[in-house]
Amino acid sequence: MTTEGEKTKAPAGSARRALVGRLSWGLADQAASSISNFAVGIYVARSLGVTAFGVFSLAWVTYGVVLNVSRGLATDPLVVRFSGVPAASWRTAVARSSGTALGVGAALGAVSLVAGLAVGGRVGLAFACLGVVLPGLLLQDAWRFAFFAAGTGRKAFVNDLVWCVALVPAMVLAARAGSVAAFVLAWGGSAAVAAVYGCFQSGIRPRSAGAREWLREHRDLGSRYLVENVSNSGASQLRAYGLGAIVGVGAVGVTRGAELLLGPFMAVLMGLSLVTVAEAARVLRRAPHRLGAFCFLLGGGQAAAALLWGAALLLVPDRFGELVLGGVWHSASELILPAALGVAGASLGTGAAAGLRALAAARRSLRCQLIASSCYVIGGLGGAAVAGTVGSAWGVAAATSIGSAVWWLHLRSALRERHHSPIPEVRTS
């Protein structure tokens, strides 16, 4: 005979196992994605040198801005409002959100193509090629978030594996061409293969015609998430452009090299970010009093892991570092300590950011992101003006710590407000 206490433990245990399973697939998926990004970065750094790697990095950070435009308008509202909903509602929402992502890629891809052709030269050609591959890149990313919203992270993992497999022959061809443009096309073209495969996985065809309806229905979240996301990635872009202007394009490549050294940890961070908002939304619905603790454990655990990874990197012998980054290693290794501290500061704030997203407190999260992004740009460029590339890295480390404190102060206030006037935010239709 089963006691009442035993009856309540089984569902709790099942819920924990389900949570661990979803987080595990998030980590596995991001590992696959980050391995491909890491491989591309290392290959370009070793094959083309610091200056060409700097050009590639400028295209990379620009893609980051466009990606965050797509996420703010398309996939962030999907994750907040359609995580764990009935399948019919999810499918309708995914068709429109993926169509929105595809439309964003086509529109901004055209802008990048025209701007690149107008600028000309090696930089212009890289941006023109980026414009060609943007639709496929954004659609592939939209499938990942759609699968995690449905709790089927395994499909996102498989989709990224397809990208990795397609990337191998594409990189071989790009290496023969020996140009930044060729690598951009190889990277984005292989993503397009995975994007097409995502249509077969989901059985859903993106509805670009539904983009206007999607944007109108979710403009309360989408408009704020758009500004929030763009301010985040835009800050990185401004820092990269400013660093290139103040110190030189090679400094952009050195900074990117240091970021690549943190790549394995960033895979963990980004993998968790794929599922944290959806999981925080589930915690909010099932046990709202646990949301603060969930966010604290999430952010604190990631910050501690970042510090441990940075400490490990400081022990890497120069010989091994040169095998990974070639000539970029010596300059990039000087940035390991400030870069690790910067990632730790940012990681601590991700827990609070997930909580605010789950609460659909878009106004507060926007305010936090604008403050954090402003600090990032001021710290990064101010440090560059004072002490070059190393000074920029230390300025960013200080800025991320300040930004993290702002995120947590706003989450605490939002939790207090919800305690006094709870408002349901999750849609099922």
Side-chain angles (χ1 to χ4, degrees), residues 253-294:
V254 170
T255 301
R256 176 60 184 158
E259 293 172 352
L260 283 173
L261 293 174
L262 289 162
F265 171 75
M266 294 303 293
V268 175
L269 178 62
M270 294 302 294
L272 289 174
S273 71
L274 288 171
V275 294
T276 49
V277 175
E279 293 306 321
R282 290 184 175 95
V283 171
L284 181 63
R285 291 200 301 272
R286 297 171 182 172
H289 61 284
R290 296 180 179 174
L291 180 61
F294 173 82

Side-chain angles (χ1 to χ4, degrees), residues 243-339:
L243 189 60
I246 296 171
V247 185
V249 176
V252 181
V254 170
T255 301
R256 176 60 184 158
E259 293 172 352
L260 283 173
L261 293 174
L262 289 162
F265 171 75
M266 294 303 293
V268 175
L269 178 62
M270 294 302 294
L272 289 174
S273 71
L274 288 171
V275 294
T276 49
V277 175
E279 293 306 321
R282 290 184 175 95
V283 171
L284 181 63
R285 291 200 301 272
R286 297 171 182 172
H289 61 284
R290 296 180 179 174
L291 180 61
F294 173 82
C295 294
F296 179 76
L297 289 173
L298 178 68
Q302 290 178 102
L307 293 176
L308 288 174
W309 183 257
L313 287 176
L314 292 174
L315 301 176
V316 173
D318 287 341
R319 183 174 59 182
F320 182 75
E322 290 172 357
L323 288 175
V324 177
L325 288 179
V328 180
W329 163 255
H330 290 288
S331 299
S333 62
E334 298 178 1
L335 307 183
I336 290 175
L337 180 57

